[in-house]
């Protein structure tokens, strides 16, 4: 432990620079120091207090004793004073405990960091940091040919640690993939959590998610270019910009099995069965259920509540009002599409 | 050294160049073409216009090359030989023997495994998006999700897709129908704090409707759809849809929470 005070690098930054930890954001100490953010983690992590101290590079409280013990140790090697034997035994006991515990604390600290990380990347500061990593293509690209190398996001398939490793979520085809490098197969998916991927899309609706990862690398940081000035003028469907709703799917972006140029029929035993997975309506507006509902059930036209948002498609306002008695909260109208970074 | 072999064209022993080619790094996707196949001119129809120094290249591939030439020329011929081998390979792997050889490699997952999580590491097959050379690099086909992926390694992504062709991976499942993997409707559903996200969820419901329509179509024709849960009634999934409707209401509340996720800054 004494060496940690001498190293210029904090535990957090050294953890994040380890091989295989490229996906991690550096959690700010403010976030960790706020107990509210750590609610419930005590019961999930062994040696919680020690692990937390390690993450924050805080010297353990019995640090002074520790130093003393170490000094004594050198003396003890030669002098076997009788009056000291009891003290020495005590210190030795603590010392062996410390040595074996250090590895436990280290792994606990990694677990704790991961669990805090799961929460941190869903906070304002954390998701901002992850967006910078996304812009730089730190999370790799989608292996699917028709996604043309768009950038992916790290996600977990479970929020509970120990169940599955980290996966990559492609916003272009809305599917999850195994990271190409095996070093990520030791990273727990729960350290990223199930929420982050989708939350990212809603938090930054104006990212051009069909942009290739290779382009961002060659142009360096193109934050301003890749983010449109504001999303107000962009058409939205169900709370997402139209061009960001699964741009990697649909006609022309699907694989069609062919033999010598002839399509394999659906009626063949080996015929295509999974086209639906990569399909989307020719006219994506077909998915705007609210508009469709409004079109089928005409009603009064006084839905000026969210007039600004729905100006391009005036029917929406009416239909939204119809939905309200069906159990939707009035708040949901505002929340439906207006997520701002 | 190669000259030692050139008199023995007919023996099985003379696969020096092909052995080297198959075992060299980056060529893991290729199988070895039979001597008989290579020496039958019928199988090479039209390739003489496609490959530079065709005759020399063919001699090199069949280990009868004995031209005395400088290194530069040799390098060119070597390149032509690799190209020729690839083009013949595309034809060979759809023959009975070629399919059997590729099947062995498929079973060993020599072509890699599907990166899609829900495919659970299903082995891949190499394929081309065009039968013409120098158009598109090789891609990998997953029979489980019926989609194509880019090879992980850059040494594979430089191989021409025409060396495998657009048909091979479909023919192999027609020849060996027992190999067709069970299809799974399992998929990823983006969620925020457990709630489905409206826009992707709508698309997913649309896709599921497409799938159910296809399954009903196939059922009417009494064709197996190949899904694992074949026994389940398609109608039974309607109740699932209803459940999703209920979820939609919860979703709206969910999204409301999502609007303000930053309880701590």
């Amino acid at each position: 432990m004494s060496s940690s005070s001498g190293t210029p690098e904090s535990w957090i930054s050294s953890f994040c620079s380890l091989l295989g930890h490229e996906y991690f954001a550096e959690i700010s100490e403010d976030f960790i120091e706020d107990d509210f953010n750590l609610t419930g983690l005590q019961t999930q992590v062994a040696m919680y207090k020690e692990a937390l101290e390690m993450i924050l590079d805080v010297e353990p409280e019995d640090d002074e004793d520790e130093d003393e013990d170490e000094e004594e140790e050198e003396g003890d090697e030669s002098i076997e004073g009788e009056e000291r034997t009891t003290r020495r035994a005590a210190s030795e006991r603590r010392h062996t405990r410390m040595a074996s515990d250090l590895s436990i604390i280290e792994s606990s600290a990694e677990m704790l960091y991961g669990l805090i990380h799961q929460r941190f990347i869903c906070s304002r500061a954390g998701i901002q940091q992850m967006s910078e990593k996304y812009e730089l293509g730190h999370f790799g690209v989608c292996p699917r040919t028709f996604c043309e190398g768009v950038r992916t996001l790290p996600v977990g398939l479970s929020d509970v640690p120990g169940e599955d490793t980290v996966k990559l979520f492609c916003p272009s085809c809305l599917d999850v993939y195994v990271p190409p490098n095996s070093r990520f197969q030791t990273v727990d998916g729960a350290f990223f959590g199930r929420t982050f991927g989708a939350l990212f899309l809603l938090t930054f609706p104006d990212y051009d998610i069909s942009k290739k990862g290779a382009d961002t690398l060659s142009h360096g940081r193109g934050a301003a270019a890749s983010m449109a000035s504001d999303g107000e003028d962009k058409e939205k469907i169900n709370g997402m910009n139209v061009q960001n709703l699964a741009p990697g799917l649909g006609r022309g972006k699907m694989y069609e099995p062919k033999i010598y140029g002839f399509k394999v029929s659906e009626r063949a035993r080996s015929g295509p069965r999974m086209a639906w997975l990569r399909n989307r309506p020719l006219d994506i507006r077909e998915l705007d259920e609210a508009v469709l509902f409004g079109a089928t059930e005409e009603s009064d036209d006084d839905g000026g509540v969210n007039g600004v948002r729905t100006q391009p498609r005036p029917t929406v306002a009416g239909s939204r009002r119809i939905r309200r008695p069906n159990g939707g909260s009035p708040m949901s109208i505002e929340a439906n599409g207006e997520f701002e970074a | 050294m190669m000259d030692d072999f050139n008199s023995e064209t007919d023996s099985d022993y003379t696969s020096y160049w092909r052995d080297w080619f198959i075992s060299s790094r980056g060529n893991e996707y290729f199988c070895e073409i039979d001597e008989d196949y290579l020496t039958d001119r019928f199988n090479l129809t039209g390739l003489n216009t496609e490959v530079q120094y065709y005759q020399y290249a063919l001699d090199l591939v069949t280990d009868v090359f004995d031209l005395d030439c400088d290194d530069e020329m040799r390098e060119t011929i070597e390149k032509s030989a690799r190209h020729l081998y690839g083009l013949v390979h595309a034809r060979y792997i759809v023959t009975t023997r070629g399919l059997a050889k590729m099947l062995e490699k498929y079973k060993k997952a020599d072509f890699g495994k599907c990166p899609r999580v829900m495919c659970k590491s299903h082995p891949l097959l190499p394929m081309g998006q065009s039968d013409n050379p120098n158009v598109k690099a090789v891609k990998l086909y997953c029979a489980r999700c019926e989609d194509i992926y880019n090879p992980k390694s850059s040494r594979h992504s430089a191989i021409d897709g025409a060396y495998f062709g657009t048909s091979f991976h479909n023919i192999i499942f027609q020849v060996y129908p027992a190999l067709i993997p069970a299809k799974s409707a399992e998929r990823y559903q983006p969620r925020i704090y457990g709630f489905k996200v409206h826009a992707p969820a709508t698309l997913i419901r649309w896709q599921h409707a497409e799938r159910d329509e296809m399954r009903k179509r196939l059922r009417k024709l009494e064709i197996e759809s190949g899904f694992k849960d074949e026994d389940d009634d398609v109608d039974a999934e309607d109740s699932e849809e209803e459940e999703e409707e209920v979820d939609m209401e919860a979703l709206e509340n969910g999204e409301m929470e999502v609007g303000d996720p930053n309880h701590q800054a």
Side-chain angles (χ1 to χ4, degrees), chain B:
Chain B
M1 179 160 183
M2 190 171 291
D3 296 344
D4 298 342
F5 296 108
N6 64 14
S7 56
E8 298 179 295
T9 23
D10 297 334
S11 105
D12 294 24
Y13 178 60
T14 57
S15 62
Y16 181 82
W17 189 87
R18 278 168 290 143
D19 263 352
W20 163 82
F21 182 78
I22 297 305
S23 53
S24 62
R25 204 171 144 82
N27 291 340
E28 293 85 353
Y29 292 171
F30 292 94
C31 69
E32 188 173 340
I33 307 174
D34 288 334
E35 180 90 35
D36 303 349
Y37 191 86
L38 271 170
T39 47
D40 186 338
R41 289 288 158 139
F42 176 76
N43 294 326
L44 311 177
T45 307
L47 294 184
N48 51 347
T49 56
E50 199 64 65
V51 179
Q52 215 188 350
Y53 301 115
Y54 170 76
Q55 192 53 54
Y56 291 134
L58 185 60
D59 287 351
L60 189 57
V61 172
T62 51
D63 299 314
V64 291
F65 184 72
D66 57 357
L67 181 75
D68 235 352
C69 59
D70 57 14
D71 284 357
E72 202 178 311
M73 181 68 178
R74 201 181 162 87
E75 185 51 46
T76 316
I77 292 170
E78 183 68 47
K79 222 175 121 194
S80 286
R82 287 197 292 265
H83 188 50
L84 177 67
Y85 189 89
L87 294 174
V88 180
H89 188 262
R91 298 176 178 193
Y92 177 71
I93 55 174
V94 297
T95 65
T96 313
R97 281 190 56 79
L99 281 170
K101 278 190 185 176
M102 290 301 264
L103 176 63
E104 283 311 304
K105 290 173 78 70
Y106 171 68
K107 283 181 177 165
K108 285 189 281 172
D110 278 358
F111 311 112
K113 291 174 178 168
C114 184
R116 186 169 169 265
V117 173
M118 304 304 165
C119 286
K120 303 198 169 89
S121 302
H122 192 82
L124 296 162
L125 281 171
M127 59 89 69
Q129 287 175 285
S130 167
D131 286 312
N132 298 322
N134 307 317
V135 178
K136 283 258 172 73
V138 68
K139 306 289 173 204
L140 299 166
Y141 171 77
C142 171
R144 204 172 150 106
C145 59
E146 296 172 8
D147 209 342
I148 55 175
Y149 299 95
N150 300 326
K152 262 203 258 188
S153 158
S154 56
R155 64 174 187 268
H156 292 138
S157 51
I159 300 172
D160 198 323
Y163 298 166
F164 302 90
T166 59
S167 310
F168 154 71
H169 61 285
N170 293 314
I171 291 172
I172 197 167
F173 290 106
Q174 299 221 321
V175 176
Y176 301 103
L179 284 185
I180 301 170
K183 308 288 156 140
S184 166
E186 207 185 339
R187 64 171 309 149
Y188 178 70
Q189 173 97 44
R191 284 172 194 268
I192 292 179
Y193 300 120
F195 296 102
K196 292 177 191 169
V197 183
H198 192 177
T202 328
L203 178 63
I204 285 168
R205 260 177 292 146
W206 182 88
Q207 290 174 336
H208 286 184
E210 288 276 295
R211 183 195 66 208
D212 292 342
E213 221 169 87
M214 177 196 73
R215 289 181 65 176
K216 276 180 187 157
R217 243 181 355 249
L218 291 173
R219 177 160 306 187
K220 225 171 259 176
L221 294 160
E222 295 182 342
I223 296 166
E224 268 182 55
S225 68
F227 279 90
K228 264 191 290 189
D229 47 348
E230 182 75 50
D231 306 332
D232 302 351
D233 255 1
V234 176
D235 304 328
E237 272 166 39
D238 292 342
S239 60
E240 191 187 296
E241 294 281 306
E242 273 164 41
E243 267 172 53
E244 286 194 10
E245 290 299 312
V246 180
D247 272 6
M248 285 304 293
E249 284 166 27
L251 173 82
E252 285 173 1
N253 299 322
E255 284 200 333
M256 196 172 71
E257 278 180 27
V258 166
D260 183 26
N262 311 297
H263 47 74
Q264 220 289 324

Side-chain angles (χ1 to χ4, degrees), chain A residues 32 47 68 77 89 95 122 127 131 136-137 182 189 218 269 290 303:
Chain A
I32 301 174
M47 312 201 67
E68 230 173 80
E77 298 302 321
H95 227 80
C122 292
I127 209 160
S131 85
L136 296 169
S182 60
S218 55
R269 191 164 163 206

Side-chain angles (χ1 to χ4, degrees), chain A residues 11-26:
Chain A
W11 186 91
I12 294 175
S13 54
S14 71
F15 175 81
C16 292
S17 58
L18 282 176
L19 199 70
H21 290 188
E22 290 84 348
Y23 296 163
F24 282 98
E26 288 193 24

